[in-house]
Amino acid sequence: MGSYIPSTAAERQAMLEAIGCRSMDDLFVQVPPEMKVDRLDLPAGKSELEVRRVLEGMAGKNRVFSSVFRGAGAYRHYIPAIVKSVTSKEEFITAYTPYQAEISQGVLQSIFEYQTMICELTGMDVSNASVYDGASAAAEAVAMCREKKRNAVLVSAAAHPMVLQTIGTYCFGSGMEVRTVPMKNGFTDIEALEGLLDDTVACVYLQQPNYFGRIESAEAAVRAAHAAGAKCIMGVNPIAMAVLRTPGECGADIAVGEGQSLGLPLSFGGPYLGFMACTKVLTRKLPGRIVGQTADHDGRRAYVLTLQAREQHIRREKASSNVCSNQALCAMTASVYLAAMGPDGLRRAAESCMAHARYAAERICSVPGFDMVYPGPYFHEFVTTCPVKPEKLTAGLEARGILGGLPIEQGILWCATEMNTKDEIDALEAAIREVC
Protein backbone atom coordinates (compact mmCIF):
# COMPACT_ATOMS: atom_id res chain seq x y z
CA MET A 1 0.00 0.00 0.00
CA GLY A 2 2.82 2.37 0.86
CA SER A 3 4.38 2.15 -2.61
CA TYR A 4 1.03 2.82 -4.29
CA ILE A 5 0.87 6.33 -2.82
CA PRO A 6 2.51 8.77 -5.29
CA SER A 7 5.42 9.77 -3.08
CA THR A 8 9.08 8.79 -2.97
CA ALA A 9 10.66 6.63 -0.29
CA ALA A 10 12.56 9.68 0.97
CA GLU A 11 9.35 11.72 1.23
CA ARG A 12 7.63 8.94 3.15
CA GLN A 13 10.59 8.66 5.52
CA ALA A 14 10.52 12.42 6.12
CA MET A 15 6.82 12.25 6.96
CA LEU A 16 7.40 9.38 9.37
CA GLU A 17 10.18 11.24 11.17
CA ALA A 18 8.00 14.36 11.39
CA ILE A 19 5.49 12.42 13.51
CA GLY A 20 8.12 10.65 15.60
CA CYS A 21 8.22 7.29 13.78
CA ARG A 22 11.27 5.57 12.35
CA SER A 23 9.46 3.13 10.10
CA MET A 24 6.04 2.00 8.86
CA ASP A 25 6.07 -0.65 11.59
CA ASP A 26 6.24 2.13 14.18
CA LEU A 27 3.27 3.83 12.53
CA PHE A 28 1.14 0.69 12.78
CA VAL A 29 2.40 -0.51 16.15
CA GLN A 30 -1.16 -0.61 17.53
CA VAL A 31 -2.22 -3.19 14.94
CA PRO A 32 -1.93 -6.77 16.35
CA PRO A 33 0.90 -8.73 14.66
CA GLU A 34 -1.47 -11.51 13.57
CA MET A 35 -3.39 -8.95 11.51
CA LYS A 36 -0.32 -7.97 9.47
CA VAL A 37 0.86 -9.68 6.28
CA ASP A 38 4.12 -9.21 4.41
CA ARG A 39 2.46 -9.45 1.02
CA LEU A 40 -0.93 -10.22 -0.48
CA ASP A 41 -1.25 -13.69 -1.99
CA LEU A 42 -2.71 -12.54 -5.30
CA PRO A 43 -3.05 -14.81 -8.35
CA ALA A 44 -1.28 -14.08 -11.61
CA GLY A 45 -2.77 -11.42 -13.84
CA LYS A 46 -5.55 -12.31 -16.27
CA SER A 47 -6.83 -10.95 -19.54
CA GLU A 48 -10.06 -8.95 -19.72
CA LEU A 49 -11.98 -11.97 -21.06
CA GLU A 50 -10.64 -14.22 -18.29
CA VAL A 51 -11.52 -11.67 -15.60
CA ARG A 52 -15.02 -11.34 -17.04
CA ARG A 53 -15.54 -15.11 -16.87
CA VAL A 54 -14.35 -15.23 -13.26
CA LEU A 55 -16.67 -12.39 -12.22
CA GLU A 56 -19.63 -13.87 -14.09
CA GLY A 57 -19.03 -17.14 -12.29
CA MET A 58 -19.01 -15.36 -8.94
CA ALA A 59 -22.16 -13.40 -9.83
CA GLY A 60 -23.87 -16.62 -10.86
CA LYS A 61 -23.73 -17.78 -7.23
CA ASN A 62 -26.03 -14.93 -6.19
CA ARG A 63 -29.67 -15.86 -5.87
CA VAL A 64 -32.08 -13.19 -7.10
CA PHE A 65 -35.71 -13.80 -6.13
CA SER A 66 -38.40 -12.69 -8.56
CA SER A 67 -40.98 -12.77 -5.75
CA VAL A 68 -40.05 -10.81 -2.62
CA PHE A 69 -42.16 -10.32 0.51
CA ARG A 70 -39.45 -8.97 2.80
CA GLY A 71 -38.69 -5.38 3.74
CA ALA A 72 -37.37 -4.51 7.22
CA GLY A 73 -35.59 -1.39 6.02
CA ALA A 74 -34.76 -2.20 2.37
CA TYR A 75 -37.59 -2.39 -0.14
CA ARG A 76 -38.17 -3.56 -3.71
CA HIS A 77 -39.96 -0.83 -5.67
CA TYR A 78 -40.50 -0.15 -9.34
CA ILE A 79 -37.77 2.11 -10.74
CA PRO A 80 -38.68 3.98 -13.95
CA ALA A 81 -36.21 3.36 -16.80
CA ILE A 82 -35.37 7.05 -17.04
CA VAL A 83 -33.72 6.96 -13.59
CA LYS A 84 -30.82 4.76 -14.70
CA SER A 85 -30.74 6.43 -18.12
CA VAL A 86 -30.04 9.82 -16.55
CA THR A 87 -27.82 8.83 -13.64
CA SER A 88 -25.57 6.52 -15.70
CA LYS A 89 -24.30 9.46 -17.77
CA GLU A 90 -20.55 9.82 -17.32
CA GLU A 91 -20.70 13.41 -16.07
CA PHE A 92 -22.95 12.32 -13.19
CA ILE A 93 -21.23 9.07 -12.27
CA THR A 94 -17.86 10.80 -11.88
CA ALA A 95 -19.19 13.70 -9.77
CA TYR A 96 -17.73 13.84 -6.28
CA THR A 97 -17.41 16.17 -3.30
CA PRO A 98 -17.71 19.81 -4.50
CA TYR A 99 -14.97 21.42 -2.39
CA GLN A 100 -14.27 23.82 -5.28
CA ALA A 101 -17.88 24.92 -5.26
CA GLU A 102 -17.55 27.75 -7.77
CA ILE A 103 -16.53 25.33 -10.54
CA SER A 104 -19.01 22.59 -9.61
CA GLN A 105 -22.27 24.27 -10.64
CA GLY A 106 -23.79 21.10 -12.12
CA VAL A 107 -23.17 19.03 -8.98
CA LEU A 108 -24.36 21.85 -6.76
CA GLN A 109 -27.58 22.27 -8.73
CA SER A 110 -28.31 18.53 -8.51
CA ILE A 111 -27.83 18.63 -4.73
CA PHE A 112 -29.97 21.77 -4.47
CA GLU A 113 -32.80 20.05 -6.38
CA TYR A 114 -32.46 16.98 -4.15
CA GLN A 115 -32.60 19.09 -0.97
CA THR A 116 -35.68 20.92 -2.26
CA MET A 117 -37.51 17.65 -2.92
CA ILE A 118 -36.59 16.22 0.48
CA CYS A 119 -37.97 19.37 2.14
CA GLU A 120 -41.21 19.00 0.18
CA LEU A 121 -41.43 15.31 1.05
CA THR A 122 -40.84 15.81 4.79
CA GLY A 123 -42.47 19.21 5.27
CA MET A 124 -39.26 20.56 6.82
CA ASP A 125 -37.38 23.82 6.17
CA VAL A 126 -33.83 22.71 5.37
CA SER A 127 -32.22 19.54 4.01
CA ASN A 128 -28.62 18.43 3.58
CA ALA A 129 -26.78 15.89 1.44
CA SER A 130 -23.91 13.43 2.08
CA VAL A 131 -25.25 11.00 4.70
CA TYR A 132 -24.41 7.37 4.00
CA ASP A 133 -27.64 5.63 5.07
CA GLY A 134 -30.75 5.99 7.20
CA ALA A 135 -29.16 4.60 10.36
CA SER A 136 -26.24 7.05 10.12
CA ALA A 137 -28.71 9.89 9.54
CA ALA A 138 -30.60 8.98 12.73
CA ALA A 139 -27.38 8.89 14.75
CA GLU A 140 -26.22 12.22 13.30
CA ALA A 141 -29.60 13.75 14.17
CA VAL A 142 -29.18 12.68 17.80
CA ALA A 143 -25.78 14.39 17.88
CA MET A 144 -27.42 17.59 16.59
CA CYS A 145 -29.65 17.76 19.68
CA ARG A 146 -26.98 17.36 22.35
CA GLU A 147 -26.64 20.25 24.81
CA LYS A 148 -24.45 20.85 27.88
CA LYS A 149 -27.17 19.96 30.39
CA ARG A 150 -29.06 17.57 28.14
CA ASN A 151 -26.98 14.50 27.36
CA ALA A 152 -29.53 11.68 27.01
CA VAL A 153 -31.66 10.38 24.14
CA LEU A 154 -34.88 8.38 24.39
CA VAL A 155 -35.26 5.85 21.58
CA SER A 156 -38.41 3.89 20.83
CA ALA A 157 -38.19 0.12 21.18
CA ALA A 158 -40.51 -0.05 18.16
CA ALA A 159 -37.83 1.45 15.87
CA HIS A 160 -35.59 -0.60 13.57
CA PRO A 161 -33.10 -2.61 15.71
CA MET A 162 -30.14 -1.76 13.46
CA VAL A 163 -30.93 1.95 13.63
CA LEU A 164 -31.01 1.70 17.42
CA GLN A 165 -27.65 -0.10 17.38
CA THR A 166 -26.13 2.63 15.22
CA ILE A 167 -27.46 5.35 17.53
CA GLY A 168 -25.97 3.42 20.45
CA THR A 169 -22.57 3.20 18.74
CA TYR A 170 -22.44 6.93 18.01
CA CYS A 171 -23.60 7.80 21.52
CA PHE A 172 -20.98 5.51 23.07
CA GLY A 173 -18.31 7.47 21.24
CA SER A 174 -19.68 10.86 22.25
CA GLY A 175 -20.62 9.96 25.81
CA MET A 176 -24.38 10.37 25.38
CA GLU A 177 -26.74 8.18 27.37
CA VAL A 178 -29.29 6.07 25.48
CA ARG A 179 -32.56 5.16 27.20
CA THR A 180 -35.21 2.92 25.65
CA VAL A 181 -38.90 3.75 25.59
CA PRO A 182 -40.84 0.46 25.94
CA MET A 183 -43.35 -0.79 23.43
CA LYS A 184 -47.05 -1.50 23.99
CA ASN A 185 -49.12 -3.50 21.48
CA GLY A 186 -46.59 -2.80 18.76
CA PHE A 187 -46.60 0.95 19.37
CA THR A 188 -44.28 3.27 21.28
CA ASP A 189 -45.76 3.54 24.79
CA ILE A 190 -46.55 7.26 25.01
CA GLU A 191 -47.35 7.11 28.75
CA ALA A 192 -43.99 5.47 29.41
CA LEU A 193 -42.33 8.12 27.23
CA GLU A 194 -43.87 10.90 29.29
CA GLY A 195 -42.61 9.25 32.46
CA LEU A 196 -39.05 8.96 31.14
CA LEU A 197 -38.75 12.59 30.01
CA ASP A 198 -36.78 14.89 32.31
CA ASP A 199 -34.41 17.84 32.03
CA THR A 200 -31.48 15.60 31.01
CA VAL A 201 -33.17 14.37 27.81
CA ALA A 202 -31.99 16.13 24.67
CA CYS A 203 -34.22 14.35 22.17
CA VAL A 204 -36.64 11.54 21.40
CA TYR A 205 -36.27 9.22 18.38
CA LEU A 206 -39.45 7.76 16.87
CA GLN A 207 -39.92 5.78 13.66
CA GLN A 208 -42.95 6.29 11.39
CA PRO A 209 -44.16 3.77 10.32
CA ASN A 210 -42.35 1.77 12.96
CA TYR A 211 -40.35 -1.44 12.51
CA PHE A 212 -43.52 -3.53 12.68
CA GLY A 213 -45.26 -1.44 10.05
CA ARG A 214 -47.56 0.25 12.55
CA ILE A 215 -48.54 3.89 12.20
CA GLU A 216 -47.47 5.67 15.38
CA SER A 217 -49.16 8.54 17.25
CA ALA A 218 -46.34 10.83 16.20
CA GLU A 219 -48.08 14.06 17.22
CA ALA A 220 -48.47 12.78 20.78
CA ALA A 221 -44.77 11.89 20.99
CA VAL A 222 -43.77 15.30 19.63
CA ARG A 223 -46.01 17.10 22.14
CA ALA A 224 -44.58 15.08 25.02
CA ALA A 225 -40.99 15.79 23.96
CA HIS A 226 -41.57 19.52 23.52
CA ALA A 227 -43.41 19.81 26.83
CA ALA A 228 -40.26 18.52 28.53
CA GLY A 229 -37.97 20.84 26.57
CA ALA A 230 -36.60 18.05 24.37
CA LYS A 231 -36.52 17.80 20.59
CA CYS A 232 -38.20 15.09 18.53
CA ILE A 233 -36.56 13.21 15.66
CA MET A 234 -38.80 11.24 13.29
CA GLY A 235 -37.34 8.46 11.17
CA VAL A 236 -39.66 8.10 8.19
CA ASN A 237 -40.26 5.92 5.14
CA PRO A 238 -40.13 8.35 2.19
CA ILE A 239 -42.76 6.47 0.14
CA ALA A 240 -45.15 6.52 3.10
CA MET A 241 -44.79 10.30 3.29
CA ALA A 242 -46.98 10.51 0.16
CA VAL A 243 -50.00 9.39 2.20
CA LEU A 244 -49.15 10.00 5.88
CA ARG A 245 -48.76 13.25 7.80
CA THR A 246 -45.23 14.57 7.28
CA PRO A 247 -42.78 15.21 10.15
CA GLY A 248 -43.32 18.93 9.54
CA GLU A 249 -47.07 18.54 9.95
CA CYS A 250 -46.49 16.52 13.14
CA GLY A 251 -44.27 19.27 14.58
CA ALA A 252 -41.01 17.27 14.59
CA ASP A 253 -37.68 19.09 14.80
CA ILE A 254 -35.69 16.72 12.56
CA ALA A 255 -36.74 14.21 9.91
CA VAL A 256 -34.40 11.40 8.83
CA GLY A 257 -34.70 8.19 6.92
CA GLU A 258 -33.35 5.68 4.45
CA GLY A 259 -33.63 6.91 0.85
CA GLN A 260 -33.12 3.51 -0.80
CA SER A 261 -36.82 3.38 -1.73
CA LEU A 262 -36.33 6.45 -3.93
CA GLY A 263 -34.99 4.76 -7.05
CA LEU A 264 -32.08 2.77 -5.60
CA PRO A 265 -32.13 -1.00 -6.22
CA LEU A 266 -31.62 -3.43 -3.33
CA SER A 267 -28.11 -4.27 -4.60
CA PHE A 268 -27.30 -6.67 -1.74
CA GLY A 269 -27.17 -3.81 0.75
CA GLY A 270 -25.87 -0.66 -0.89
CA PRO A 271 -24.77 1.93 -1.61
CA TYR A 272 -27.81 3.57 -0.06
CA LEU A 273 -28.71 7.10 0.95
CA GLY A 274 -29.53 8.73 4.26
CA PHE A 275 -31.64 11.87 4.14
CA MET A 276 -31.83 14.56 6.83
CA ALA A 277 -34.05 17.62 7.10
CA CYS A 278 -34.77 19.97 9.98
CA THR A 279 -36.47 23.18 11.03
CA LYS A 280 -34.81 26.50 10.26
CA VAL A 281 -33.76 26.91 13.91
CA LEU A 282 -31.47 23.88 13.68
CA THR A 283 -29.90 24.72 10.31
CA ARG A 284 -26.46 25.55 11.72
CA LYS A 285 -26.32 22.18 13.50
CA LEU A 286 -27.20 20.18 10.40
CA PRO A 287 -24.13 18.17 9.22
CA GLY A 288 -23.14 17.47 5.64
CA ARG A 289 -23.46 19.61 2.53
CA ILE A 290 -26.04 22.39 2.28
CA VAL A 291 -26.38 24.06 -1.11
CA GLY A 292 -27.97 27.47 -1.52
CA GLN A 293 -29.17 29.41 -4.57
CA THR A 294 -27.87 32.92 -5.22
CA ALA A 295 -26.89 35.22 -8.08
CA ASP A 296 -23.42 35.74 -9.51
CA HIS A 297 -21.67 39.01 -10.39
CA ASP A 298 -23.67 39.28 -13.62
CA GLY A 299 -27.00 38.55 -11.96
CA ARG A 300 -27.22 34.98 -13.25
CA ARG A 301 -28.57 32.17 -11.08
CA ALA A 302 -25.78 30.34 -9.28
CA TYR A 303 -25.35 27.74 -6.54
CA VAL A 304 -22.99 27.74 -3.56
CA LEU A 305 -22.04 25.58 -0.62
CA THR A 306 -23.42 27.58 2.28
CA LEU A 307 -22.84 27.69 6.06
CA GLN A 308 -19.54 25.87 5.65
CA ALA A 309 -18.21 27.36 8.90
CA ARG A 310 -20.14 24.66 10.77
CA GLU A 311 -18.51 21.82 8.79
CA GLN A 312 -15.84 19.44 10.03
CA HIS A 313 -13.42 20.22 7.17
CA ILE A 314 -13.43 23.87 8.30
CA ARG A 315 -13.66 23.56 12.11
CA ARG A 316 -12.45 20.04 12.74
CA GLU A 317 -11.70 20.58 16.43
CA LYS A 318 -15.31 21.63 17.11
CA ALA A 319 -17.05 19.20 14.78
CA SER A 320 -19.84 17.02 16.17
CA SER A 321 -20.35 15.16 12.88
CA ASN A 322 -18.56 12.35 11.07
CA VAL A 323 -20.00 13.23 7.66
CA CYS A 324 -17.07 13.90 5.34
CA SER A 325 -17.86 12.43 1.92
CA ASN A 326 -20.62 13.02 -0.61
CA GLN A 327 -23.49 10.73 -1.69
CA ALA A 328 -24.11 12.88 -4.76
CA LEU A 329 -24.90 10.05 -7.19
CA CYS A 330 -27.37 8.39 -4.80
CA ALA A 331 -28.93 11.77 -4.03
CA MET A 332 -29.26 12.49 -7.75
CA THR A 333 -30.88 9.08 -8.23
CA ALA A 334 -33.47 9.99 -5.62
CA SER A 335 -34.03 13.35 -7.34
CA VAL A 336 -34.56 11.77 -10.77
CA TYR A 337 -36.90 9.17 -9.27
CA LEU A 338 -38.99 11.80 -7.48
CA ALA A 339 -39.10 13.99 -10.59
CA ALA A 340 -40.16 11.04 -12.75
CA MET A 341 -42.85 9.90 -10.30
CA GLY A 342 -44.16 13.32 -9.36
CA PRO A 343 -46.53 13.85 -6.39
CA ASP A 344 -49.36 11.87 -8.00
CA GLY A 345 -47.14 8.97 -9.03
CA LEU A 346 -45.59 8.73 -5.58
CA ARG A 347 -49.03 8.76 -3.99
CA ARG A 348 -50.24 6.04 -6.33
CA ALA A 349 -47.19 3.91 -5.48
CA ALA A 350 -47.86 4.36 -1.74
CA GLU A 351 -51.55 3.53 -2.12
CA SER A 352 -50.65 0.48 -4.20
CA CYS A 353 -48.25 -0.69 -1.47
CA MET A 354 -50.99 -0.38 1.13
CA ALA A 355 -53.58 -2.19 -1.01
CA HIS A 356 -51.21 -5.06 -1.84
CA ALA A 357 -50.13 -5.39 1.80
CA ARG A 358 -53.73 -5.66 2.92
CA TYR A 359 -54.51 -8.32 0.33
CA ALA A 360 -51.34 -10.22 1.30
CA ALA A 361 -52.31 -10.08 4.99
CA GLU A 362 -55.78 -11.36 4.14
CA ARG A 363 -54.47 -14.31 2.12
CA ILE A 364 -51.69 -15.22 4.59
CA CYS A 365 -54.12 -15.09 7.54
CA SER A 366 -56.53 -17.39 5.68
CA VAL A 367 -54.01 -20.18 6.32
CA PRO A 368 -54.71 -21.93 9.68
CA GLY A 369 -52.29 -20.81 12.39
CA PHE A 370 -51.48 -17.44 10.81
CA ASP A 371 -52.99 -14.40 12.52
CA MET A 372 -52.15 -10.71 12.73
CA VAL A 373 -50.03 -10.04 15.82
CA TYR A 374 -50.87 -6.33 15.82
CA PRO A 375 -54.31 -5.56 14.38
CA GLY A 376 -54.92 -1.97 13.35
CA PRO A 377 -53.57 0.52 10.80
CA TYR A 378 -50.27 -0.19 9.05
CA PHE A 379 -48.50 0.95 5.90
CA HIS A 380 -47.00 -1.92 3.87
CA GLU A 381 -45.48 -4.16 6.56
CA PHE A 382 -47.24 -6.34 9.12
CA VAL A 383 -46.46 -9.12 11.58
CA THR A 384 -48.20 -12.51 11.72
CA THR A 385 -47.93 -15.54 13.91
CA CYS A 386 -46.51 -18.73 12.40
CA PRO A 387 -47.65 -22.26 13.37
CA VAL A 388 -44.27 -23.77 12.39
CA LYS A 389 -40.74 -22.64 13.08
CA PRO A 390 -40.38 -19.38 11.06
CA GLU A 391 -37.00 -20.44 9.68
CA LYS A 392 -38.58 -23.65 8.35
CA LEU A 393 -41.27 -21.66 6.58
CA THR A 394 -38.86 -19.19 4.99
CA ALA A 395 -36.57 -22.03 3.86
CA GLY A 396 -39.54 -23.79 2.26
CA LEU A 397 -40.58 -20.61 0.49
CA GLU A 398 -37.02 -20.03 -0.77
CA ALA A 399 -37.02 -23.53 -2.25
CA ARG A 400 -40.09 -22.43 -4.23
CA GLY A 401 -38.45 -19.23 -5.46
CA ILE A 402 -40.07 -16.89 -2.94
CA LEU A 403 -38.23 -14.68 -0.45
CA GLY A 404 -40.64 -14.71 2.48
CA GLY A 405 -40.96 -12.39 5.43
CA LEU A 406 -38.31 -11.84 8.07
CA PRO A 407 -38.46 -14.09 11.16
CA ILE A 408 -38.56 -11.91 14.28
CA GLU A 409 -39.32 -12.53 17.94
CA GLN A 410 -43.04 -11.82 17.51
CA GLY A 411 -43.47 -14.06 14.43
CA ILE A 412 -42.82 -13.08 10.82
CA LEU A 413 -42.52 -9.54 9.48
CA TRP A 414 -44.03 -9.45 5.99
CA CYS A 415 -43.86 -6.68 3.40
CA ALA A 416 -45.69 -6.01 0.13
CA THR A 417 -45.05 -3.20 -2.36
CA GLU A 418 -46.45 -2.19 -5.74
CA MET A 419 -44.18 -4.90 -7.21
CA ASN A 420 -46.17 -7.77 -5.68
CA THR A 421 -48.99 -8.75 -8.04
CA LYS A 422 -52.18 -10.55 -7.10
CA ASP A 423 -50.86 -13.72 -8.77
CA GLU A 424 -47.66 -13.50 -6.70
CA ILE A 425 -49.62 -13.11 -3.48
CA ASP A 426 -51.90 -16.03 -4.37
CA ALA A 427 -48.81 -18.13 -5.14
CA LEU A 428 -47.37 -17.12 -1.76
CA GLU A 429 -50.52 -18.34 0.00
CA ALA A 430 -50.39 -21.65 -1.87
CA ALA A 431 -46.70 -22.11 -1.03
CA ILE A 432 -47.34 -21.38 2.67
CA ARG A 433 -50.05 -24.04 2.73
CA GLU A 434 -47.69 -26.55 1.11
CA VAL A 435 -44.84 -25.85 3.54
CA CYS A 436 -47.08 -25.91 6.62
Side-chain angles (χ1 to χ4, degrees), residues 219-257:
E219 294 93 333
V222 171
R223 284 195 301 269
H226 288 174
K231 295 177 178 63
C232 187
I233 304 165
M234 281 181 63
V236 297
N237 180 320
I239 303 295
M241 290 300 96
V243 292
L244 299 181
R245 286 173 62 82
T246 66
E249 291 171 327
C250 294
D253 300 282
I254 306 173
V256 299

Side-chain angles (χ1 to χ4, degrees), residues 228-289:
K231 295 177 178 63
C232 187
I233 304 165
M234 281 181 63
V236 297
N237 180 320
I239 303 295
M241 290 300 96
V243 292
L244 299 181
R245 286 173 62 82
T246 66
E249 291 171 327
C250 294
D253 300 282
I254 306 173
V256 299
E258 173 57 64
Q260 176 270 324
S261 299
L262 303 176
L264 294 167
L266 291 172
S267 300
F268 288 87
Y272 287 169
L273 167 72
F275 61 86
M276 293 183 74
C278 66
T279 59
K280 191 176 295 185
V281 175
L282 292 171
T283 302
R284 290 188 176 275
K285 292 190 175 182
L286 188 64
R289 309 284 177 264

Side-chain angles (χ1 to χ4, degrees), residues 187 208-210 213-218 244 354 358 377-379:
F187 291 116
Q208 176 76 309
N210 67 26
R214 312 216 71 187
I215 299 173
E216 294 271 13
S217 300
L244 299 181
M354 295 176 71
R358 275 143 189 77
Y378 56 94
F379 179 54

Side-chain angles (χ1 to χ4, degrees), residues 149-224:
K149 294 183 179 180
R150 291 180 178 269
N151 195 42
V153 53
L154 297 182
V155 296
S156 168
H160 196 297
M162 292 183 181
V163 174
L164 300 185
Q165 289 174 9
T166 305
I167 291 174
T169 299
Y170 273 61
C171 289
F172 172 79
S174 64
M176 284 189 73
E177 181 184 359
V178 180
R179 304 172 191 167
T180 303
V181 181
M183 190 173 63
K184 186 177 182 180
N185 299 324
F187 291 116
T188 304
D189 190 334
I190 300 299
E191 290 185 5
L193 169 63
E194 293 171 343
L196 289 169
L197 283 162
D198 56 34
D199 59 7
T200 67
V201 175
C203 59
V204 174
Y205 176 78
L206 179 81
Q207 186 173 316
Q208 176 76 309
N210 67 26
Y211 181 61
F212 308 103
R214 312 216 71 187
I215 299 173
E216 294 271 13
S217 300
E219 294 93 333
V222 171
R223 284 195 301 269

Side-chain angles (χ1 to χ4, degrees), residues 296-378:
D296 67 8
H297 179 73
D298 298 320
R300 297 173 301 184
R301 181 174 58 182
Y303 300 93
V304 295
L305 279 181
T306 188
L307 297 177
Q308 289 197 77
R310 83 203 192 300
E311 288 225 27
Q312 65 276 8
H313 69 276
I314 301 292
R315 305 173 68 191
R316 182 176 299 177
E317 72 282 359
K318 295 183 179 179
S320 60
S321 165
N322 292 316
V323 177
C324 58
S325 189
N326 187 34
Q327 297 291 89
L329 183 60
C330 292
M332 173 173 283
T333 301
S335 302
V336 177
Y337 173 85
L338 288 169
M341 296 291 285
D344 292 337
L346 197 66
R347 187 178 302 109
R348 286 175 60 189
E351 291 171 347
S352 185
C353 287
M354 295 176 71
H356 292 188
R358 275 143 189 77
Y359 182 68
E362 176 188 319
R363 300 319 310 155
I364 292 171
C365 291
S366 71
V367 181
F370 287 85
D371 297 291
M372 295 290 284
V373 174
Y374 303 120
Y378 56 94

